[in-house]
Amino acid sequence: MRYWISLVVIALMSCSVSFTSQDSVEISGKHSDEENLKLAEQIGVAVWEGQLRQHLQESIPELSGKNVDNMLGVRWGKTTVNSLTNDSLDTTGVYVKCVFQSSIPQSIARKAVDICIEYVNAEIEKSQSANRVPAAAISRSEIERLDVSSSSSVSESRDRAGVFPGLSVSQVLAVRELLVQREFQQLNLLLAQYQDDYLDNSALEYRLVDAYRSFQLSDSEYEQLFDDWMLETPDAYQPYLAAAQYYYRRGWSVRGGGFINKVAKADRKVFKARLRQSTELIRKSLAIDSNVMPAYLLLIDIEKSTGENRKTTPTASTAFKLYPDSIELRIAELKKYEPRWGGSLRKMQLFVFEAKRSQLGTSKVGILQGMIHSEISRLSYGESEYQESHESANKAVLSGEYDTFLFRRAKASRELGDYQSALIDVNKAIALRPASYENYLLRANIHVMMENAAIAAADYTLAKQLWPAAADKVNHSVEWAVNLQLNKALEVFQTDPVQAVADYDVALLLDNERHYTVFWRAMALARAGLDDRAIEGLKRSIELDPLHFESYRELDYLLLKERRWNEIISNWDSFLQLVPAHAEGFLERGGAHYQNGSVSEFRSDINRACELSSPKACQIAASF
């Protein structure tokens, strides 16, 4: 589909105190005026409901704090205007018109209309590049009807920014496995192939970025592997850049995600040292091959981390020249201007307008605009303003298809109790960026709220596999999910122990190493009369926590039904070796000795329990 766009400028001065400026853009890419009118309406609505008014207030000082709604109008319809090529001819067509009327100077009104027209043209270009109506005109219900139940729906298709999805989970893990198996030559070849593929086709950008980010590991055990890789292939750029990713993440693991003034001085020192180490390795990589995009991307991230966010740096300028179509580089630079890094929404918007004049495609500029909505969504979410967060995230999604936007909308939907919509969005986010651990973590939490904890377990595992550095964060969510499941089991423990066992089984799918869950599952089995399974469960509980007295005592109770005295005594022997001053332990073992006919051992244990201040043991000892 092709749109023939003619810009008609009409500047009218209505009187000495009120100025009116107008611009019109013709819409003529459809087969009929009726279709063009529908498209014009969609474009007009998208412009009006977007960030135009906020941008006018931020970019034109004279409009700051003023109610722009009373001055600005965005209209559409079929009308007649003077032709640009021949003033004696009139042209009838469908137009979207920006009108600004106010008592402010005409030059200001003219500027406001120019900005409005930029928004109109951007929406037209979106519809042209996508060969359909603008994204901003698509309703929420239409988006939710998209089939995003699995990543296969878009796994081999470009998103609206013209970029293919990133690496799959298996591909990320395969890259790491080559590192662990010390297949350094093969790793160099694979990473070089990802880089060459990107240089041949910029739509493969996410795959290259994901390949290098797979080395952002925090465990010290990997350090020797990176050292050996650099030693074995010193003339290759790949090991230096991979090691730079590693030390960057190790630095952040020490620093943590809080405000820098809350970080201990010693940790700040380590953090900065790691980032310097990462920077030096990047420089070595670039000295070997200066045309490696992820090197510049990581440098920009380091600049953000160290507070170099006041202006576009030489690093970014060089990167933009080398890779003018890269959306990841632009996003990384834009993030430096977020409020949390000392920037502002205004600075972010100025960066977006600079990007409009670059070679970056219109759909990708839309994603940059969406990053501002996404940041507003994040800020609102942090203030527990979930409806506002959802509205901003929705604007971000309508600006461009990017996994972070879907992620933010899904988070807000979850808090609003709209789990189905949240699941739809996060599934689509995973389809676009399969290697993002946060998407799996969010999906797991959504499934928990939908009482699908068994399904959530797999996503928690994937999240930890993809991003080991976030294991603590994932484990925190797992603990929350397990506690919810334990509460469900507790509600039916007395009345329906079989159901309680089923609930505990789900909790064990989430975390099978928690002895508390294993213990109470065994208690539910015992209450249901399933003593053999209860005994096995209590033995497992003791394996997980050999110091848990209650597990030994409940096991004692079940074994005594079968008069398994020697086994009971052996269990208490093990416990008392670990806790030699436990009065109740001696009291329980003494009782087993008594039942087994070992009177002298019984007296010895009872007396020891009494010495350890057990009133019951002292009473028994006195009676004998």
Side-chain angles (χ1 to χ4, degrees), residues 199-478:
L199 293 177
D200 290 339
N201 182 0
S202 62
L204 298 174
E205 179 175 10
Y206 292 165
R207 298 184 184 186
L208 174 62
V209 172
D210 289 348
Y212 276 98
R213 282 183 178 162
S214 66
F215 299 114
Q216 289 200 14
L217 305 159
S218 58
D219 290 343
S220 59
E221 65 189 46
Y222 290 99
E223 187 167 4
Q224 189 61 51
L225 288 171
F226 287 105
D227 287 345
D228 292 346
W229 185 3
M230 289 184 283
L231 285 172
E232 185 172 315
T233 60
D235 297 328
Y237 70 86
Q238 295 91 330
Y240 301 106
L241 183 51
Q245 301 277 350
Y246 171 65
Y247 286 111
Y248 173 77
R249 183 48 50 194
R250 284 196 66 184
W252 269 102
S253 294
V254 172
R255 180 200 182 282
F259 290 108
I260 189 65
N261 59 357
K262 301 294 184 181
V263 180
K265 186 176 180 180
D267 289 342
R268 289 202 301 270
K269 186 176 181 179
V270 173
F271 170 64
K272 292 178 180 179
R274 292 297 188 197
L275 264 56
R276 285 195 299 270
Q277 191 173 8
S278 179
T279 301
E280 290 170 3
L281 289 166
I282 295 171
R283 299 300 181 195
K284 287 183 179 180
S285 174
L286 289 173
I288 298 171
D289 190 334
S290 61
N291 194 21
V292 183
M293 187 272 282
Y296 296 96
L297 183 61
L298 185 55
L299 280 175
I300 292 173
D301 284 340
I302 291 172
E303 290 173 354
K304 177 190 71 178
S305 303
T306 54
E308 296 179 37
N309 58 354
R310 296 180 182 176
K311 61 181 180 179
T312 300
T313 62
T315 299
S317 298
T318 300
F320 296 161
K321 291 177 183 177
L322 287 171
Y323 318 103
D325 198 37
S326 170
I327 184 62
E328 287 288 86
L329 285 170
R330 298 279 179 176
I331 287 175
E333 184 68 12
L334 177 59
K335 285 182 176 180
K336 288 165 56 176
Y337 302 103
E338 291 176 343
R340 58 180 146 173
W341 301 108
S344 66
L345 297 177
R346 174 177 171 77
K347 289 180 179 180
M348 293 180 73
Q349 187 66 70
L350 291 174
F351 179 85
V352 173
F353 277 108
E354 285 295 321
K356 286 184 177 181
R357 293 195 283 268
S358 71
Q359 298 179 44
L360 199 65
T362 302
S363 59
K364 291 182 180 179
V365 172
I367 286 182
L368 294 181
Q369 186 67 51
M371 289 297 296
I372 301 175
H373 296 303
S374 179
E375 176 65 4
I376 295 171
S377 174
R378 186 190 70 82
L379 294 170
S380 298
Y381 187 93
E383 297 294 329
S384 300
E385 297 171 350
Y386 302 124
Q387 187 60 49
E388 292 83 352
S389 177
H390 185 278
E391 290 172 1
S392 294
N394 194 49
K395 291 178 182 178
V397 171
L398 297 175
S399 297
E401 195 162 44
Y402 193 61
D403 71 296
T404 300
F405 305 162
L406 293 158
F407 170 82
R408 297 230 175 275
R409 190 167 70 177
K411 283 188 72 174
S413 293
R414 180 194 64 177
E415 296 296 339
L416 294 171
D418 188 358
Y419 303 129
Q420 192 59 48
S421 293
L423 191 59
I424 288 172
D425 276 345
V426 77
N427 277 337
K428 194 171 184 183
I430 289 172
L432 293 173
R433 213 62 185 268
S436 173
Y437 89 94
E438 286 189 309
N439 291 329
Y440 294 98
L441 179 56
L442 175 59
R443 188 168 71 175
N445 291 339
I446 292 169
H447 274 303
V448 170
M449 296 307 295
M450 296 176 75
E451 300 188 353
N452 297 329
I455 299 174
D459 278 346
Y460 285 132
T461 300
L462 276 176
K464 284 193 279 191
Q465 287 178 329
L466 282 168
W467 204 250
D472 288 345
K473 181 178 180 180
V474 177
N475 288 337
H476 180 76
S477 288
V478 170

